[in-house]
Amino acid sequence: MLGFIVKRMIQSVIVMLTVALIAFALFRYVGDPINNMVGQDTTVEERDELRERLGLNDPFLVQFGRFAWASAKGEFGFSYQHRRPVRDLIAERLPATLELSMVSAVLALAVGIPMGVYTALRRDGFLSRAFMSLSLIGVSLPTFLIGILLILFFGVILRWLPTFGRGDVVDIGWWTTGFLTVSGLKAMIMPSITLALFQMTLIMRLVRAEMLEVLRTDFVKFARARGLPDRSVHFRHALKNTMVPVITITGLQLGSIIAFAIITESVFQWPGMGLMFIQAIGEVDIPIMAAYLVLIALFFVIINLVVDLLYLVVDPRLRVDRATANGQ
Amino acid sequence: MGSSDMADTTISKGFTDRMRRFFDSDIWYSFRRSPVAIVSTGITLVFFLAAAFAPIVAPHNPFDLAAIDIMDSNLPPAWDEFEGDTRFLIGTDDQGRDVLSTIIYGSRISLVVGFASVAFSLVLGVALGLISGYVGGRLDAFIMRVADVQLSFPAILIALLIDGVARSVMPRELHADLAFYVLIFAIGISGWVQYARTVRGSAMVEKSKEYVQAARVIGIRRGTILVRHILPNVTGPVLVIATIHLAIAIITEATLSFLGVGVPPTTPSLGTLIRIGNDFLFSGEWWITIFPGIALVVLVLAVNLMGDWLRDALNPKLR
């Protein structure tokens, strides 16, 4: 088991180094860094001196090492566009993205799991069929189109909800939150539904499939034979055993929620990291792109690692399997 | 699939035999019995044909600057009592282009990019999967490790990153020429893992069977065995993945184009049209964005349903 963890750690480090290498290559070889820093009237000698002073003539590995070390400390230099440290820009936008992602994840779970259980228990019910058909449409609806439709109905036609931005936010030290104001909460509704819908259908289908599988097993039949009430069989026996894959998939989906936030944020002009990244692509603002690359890779690596470890903790059968597999 | 074969009038013996075998097959039987499959295949075919013959089918040529008139801009659909114009069934956009025609030309771009990306993924994934499963060893471990890592990132994020990075690396003029290929490469590379994993599994199973051993004993080269003997046995699952992947590729392309990093604006796809229309949502010109949106959803839904049906039809467990 220790071997498995170490293997995963090494794999994570390799992934991070690869992403850092791409980010570094962007930094170093797209355009001339010196040109991005100095004015037109700087002489060649001054440029060379600056180049030497900044260490741009050092060997590749030395430069890469310096970049990786700076990234690890969260230093990504100055944004070309905003003329401010990238670290500050990200710190400002991180709360917006994380709040949106968290609300969406909770929403997807809170609606997806009950729908999955219901469709599994009443397989041929009218409502179940409706849910299943709707979920297929949900899979075929691109995220941005859901957002546009919501904006059209609730923003343009009914005028109930704000269609862009975060509303008023409250600044609590290093974090800004939209949870404490009415306009902040209202602004949260449409983007979070947009972001949650796809995950919701995924979780619903997953819970349904797992429930159907578990309901066929002997121990559920046995629980029925013992005369336990349906409620107890369904929730204490069946649902509990479907939770392992649901936890894993939800954990992994947390990463894709953050990734899909790029789309939702640009539909709703939500001032988060995703919107900043899309704008950075348009402006060729390399420091922001590099920082976003490294940050998103870090998110994914951590999430995957935690989910793998959780898996081992939650399901004792896996521990034995892995141990024997590694022992061979 | 069947109808294109039927249109072919050159009847040779081999061909009629093959047709008879096709109409006797379980697949055709299951297809005839499934209304969902017939309708979704029909809709998909309508899209394909409309896209292929866009210049004939479309009522106007939206990219002919001489034919469009700025005076026709922002007209609502024809059924609107006040401003509707019967020349433009579902209205015009801000430049006076017929929305229906831009949708037909747009689905052409969407389908071309979708098909090309799927073909790229398929060739790459099947080749790597075959090699990985047949050769095994270190190479297999390496390919599968890369696949694992890639699978932990969502495909759309990978496509977005590759496309975005390529956009900023290339000089502007060069990128304008290559935008299509960059996009196809980005979407294609983000989808090969599914093919590789499935094919690898099948290749490992087939590898130890007697007919492969026999082929090896009589000295057939490794490459020939892979292509002539193992490949035909893995086509079923690959076909299913490709169908569902087509829907995903179309959505990915639309999303990237919507975000402004997809196809160049001179050749708008469905995603680009939705992006353009989105700017007019607040001034009440909903038809510019909603109709391309509907077209996109119907196309993707039809392809998805077709994929669902194909998966069930080819799954021996469900027969």
Side-chain angles (χ1 to χ4, degrees):
Chain A
M1 187 178 157
L2 192 70
F4 171 70
I5 296 173
V6 170
K7 222 187 228 170
R8 291 310 314 260
M9 292 283 216
I10 293 173
Q11 199 178 320
S12 308
V13 171
I14 292 176
V15 171
M16 282 313 295
L17 281 178
T18 316
V19 173
L21 193 66
I22 296 171
F24 171 69
L26 268 180
F27 242 126
R28 185 65 190 81
Y29 299 108
V30 177
D32 182 0
I34 298 290
N35 270 347
N36 291 320
M37 295 168 66
V38 298
Q40 292 251 307
D41 48 351
T42 318
T43 61
V44 179
E45 287 76 32
E46 281 170 326
R47 282 169 194 253
D48 284 345
E49 201 230 38
L50 189 61
R51 201 182 298 272
E52 188 62 43
R53 195 148 48 85
L54 289 174
L56 291 175
N57 291 333
D58 292 347
F60 177 83
L61 272 179
V62 175
Q63 288 192 45
F64 177 58
R66 213 183 289 136
F67 172 82
W69 179 239
S71 310
K73 290 190 296 184
E75 308 274 357
F76 288 98
F78 278 72
S79 151
Y80 299 159
Q81 183 72 16
H82 301 271
R83 302 272 160 207
R84 291 179 51 204
V86 173
R87 195 205 334 225
D88 296 355
L89 289 168
I90 287 185
E92 274 169 24
R93 284 161 174 80
L94 194 64
T97 298
L98 287 185
E99 279 189 358
L100 178 63
S101 307
M102 288 306 146
V103 172
S104 305
V106 171
L107 196 65
L109 281 175
V111 181
I113 293 180
M115 268 164 72
V117 173
Y118 182 84
T119 46
L121 295 182
R122 301 253 150 75
R123 276 183 76 175
D124 297 315
F126 171 74
L127 211 55
S128 296
R129 284 171 186 274
F131 281 158
M132 289 306 285
S133 319
L134 278 180
S135 80
L136 193 65
I137 297 178
V139 174
S140 305
L141 263 180
T143 313
F144 65 92
L145 211 54
I146 298 171
I148 290 178
L149 290 177
L150 285 177
I151 288 180
L152 181 65
F153 282 113
F154 296 103
V156 179
I157 297 177
L158 295 172
R159 296 187 184 281
W160 284 353
L161 296 169
T163 53
F164 63 91
R166 271 182 100 187
D168 296 322
V169 290
V170 179
D171 199 342
I172 37 173
W174 48 277
W175 189 273
T176 56
T177 179
F179 287 133
L180 297 175
T181 61
V182 177
S183 70
L185 287 173
K186 273 175 103 174
M188 180 75 83
I189 297 174
M190 289 203 292
S192 58
I193 292 178
T194 307
L195 193 50
L197 218 56
F198 182 76
Q199 314 296 336
M200 204 186 284
T201 54
L202 200 75
I203 290 173
M204 180 192 124
R205 285 176 162 248
L206 181 73
V207 170
R208 177 178 180 272
E210 291 290 331
M211 276 291 274
L212 288 176
E213 197 104 315
V214 175
L215 284 174
R216 266 199 296 263
T217 54
D218 287 342
F219 85 96
V220 167
K221 281 183 198 152
F222 191 67
R224 284 232 170 86
R226 273 162 66 202
L228 292 178
D230 272 358
R231 177 180 291 271
S232 172
V233 175
H234 292 157
F235 292 97
R236 302 219 11 217
H237 289 74
L239 184 61
K240 231 180 178 177
N241 277 288
T242 63
M243 280 300 118
V244 177
V246 172
I247 291 173
T248 334
I249 300 284
T250 316
L252 292 175
Q253 288 302 314
L254 207 62
S256 42
I257 286 185
I258 294 175
F260 274 97
I262 299 176
I263 304 163
T264 313
E265 283 177 9
S266 49
V267 174
F268 290 96
Q269 293 297 302
W270 188 263
M273 292 192 311
L275 185 62
M276 182 169 73
F277 176 65
I278 280 293
Q279 286 165 349
I281 288 181
E283 309 286 348
V284 198
D285 197 339
I286 305 288
I288 290 186
M289 289 174 64
Y292 186 82
L293 266 177
V294 172
L295 206 63
I296 203 104
L298 187 67
F299 267 127
F300 272 92
V301 162
I302 291 176
I303 289 170
N304 280 320
L305 208 59
V306 169
V307 167
D308 268 354
L309 295 181
L310 259 186
Y311 217 63
L312 286 178
V313 174
V314 172
D315 194 340
R317 282 171 303 183
L318 273 174
R319 260 174 273 171
V320 182
D321 286 353
R322 298 268 193 209
T324 48
N326 283 342
Q328 279 171 356
Chain B
M1 358 156 147
S3 46
S4 62
D5 291 346
M6 275 185 284
D8 199 336
T9 46
T10 52
I11 302 171
S12 63
K13 177 136 184 6
F15 179 74
T16 42
D17 275 1
R18 222 178 298 159
M19 280 318 283
R20 193 166 304 134
R21 247 170 58 195
F22 176 71
F23 283 113
D24 282 342
S25 70
D26 295 344
I27 303 282
W28 178 248
Y29 178 77
S30 141
F31 180 78
R32 256 185 339 178
R33 304 262 306 199
S34 161
V36 174
I38 295 174
V39 171
S40 58
T41 310
I43 293 175
T44 314
L45 276 179
V46 167
F47 266 98
F48 285 179
L49 292 176
F53 300 106
I56 304 167
V57 178
H60 303 264
N61 181 357
F63 304 110
D64 180 6
L65 289 177
I68 58 174
D69 186 351
I70 198 74
M71 295 301 286
D72 292 331
S73 67
N74 292 333
L75 289 177
W79 57 84
D80 188 282
E81 302 167 42
F82 304 109
E83 288 186 81
D85 189 325
T86 45
R87 280 180 302 153
F88 309 108
L89 184 62
I90 53 176
T92 56
D93 68 3
D94 60 315
Q95 294 172 38
R97 300 184 295 200
D98 176 39
V99 173
L100 182 62
S101 307
T102 54
I103 288 176
I104 292 171
Y105 278 89
S107 26
R108 189 181 203 178
I109 308 284
S110 291
L111 282 169
V112 167
V113 174
F115 266 109
S117 333
V118 168
F120 182 60
S121 285
L122 191 146
V123 171
L124 185 68
V126 169
L128 286 176
L130 278 177
I131 293 169
S132 198
Y134 192 78
V135 178
R138 283 243 177 108
L139 191 62
D140 175 39
F142 176 72
I143 293 175
M144 284 302 119
R145 199 60 349 118
V146 174
D148 280 348
V149 170
Q150 177 167 341
L151 210 60
S152 62
F153 292 84
I156 196 157
L157 184 67
I158 293 174
L160 181 63
L161 293 179
I162 293 177
D163 201 49
V165 168
R167 187 167 289 261
S168 46
V169 171
M170 291 180 186
R172 212 166 274 267
E173 315 80 60
L174 181 66
H175 184 269
D177 295 339
L178 293 178
F180 259 106
Y181 303 101
V182 171
L183 188 65
I184 289 166
F185 174 78
I187 301 175
I189 205 108
S190 69
W192 64 273
V193 176
Q194 302 289 350
Y195 298 95
R197 286 198 157 183
T198 312
V199 170
R200 171 178 176 264
S202 311
M204 282 167 81
V205 172
E206 298 299 324
K207 180 181 159 184
S208 52
K209 287 195 178 159
E210 274 134 4
Y211 74 94
V212 175
Q213 308 238 318
R216 272 163 69 184
V217 168
I218 59 173
I220 295 176
R221 280 184 302 126
R222 202 190 248 177
T224 317
I225 294 180
L226 277 180
V227 176
R228 298 287 295 275
H229 296 263
I230 295 185
L231 188 60
N233 285 304
V234 299
T235 46
V238 166
L239 199 62
V240 174
I241 299 177
T243 315
I244 294 172
H245 189 204
L246 178 64
I248 297 174
I250 292 173
I251 287 192
T252 309
E253 184 279 323
T255 305
L256 294 184
S257 294
F258 176 77
L259 292 175
V261 292
V263 294
T266 43
T267 48
S269 72
L270 290 175
T272 325
L273 294 176
I274 297 170
R275 173 191 175 81
I276 296 170
N278 196 27
D279 297 338
F280 299 95
L281 206 55
F282 294 100
S283 48
E285 280 108 20
W286 53 271
W287 58 89
I288 305 178
T289 184
I290 293 303
F291 285 118
I294 292 175
L296 178 66
V297 173
V298 170
L299 173 62
V300 170
L301 191 62
V303 176
N304 260 333
L305 287 171
M306 223 164 68
D308 266 9
W309 163 78
L310 197 62
R311 186 182 51 206
D312 291 348
L314 291 178
N315 188 347
K317 272 193 209 154
L318 291 177
R319 264 185 209 151

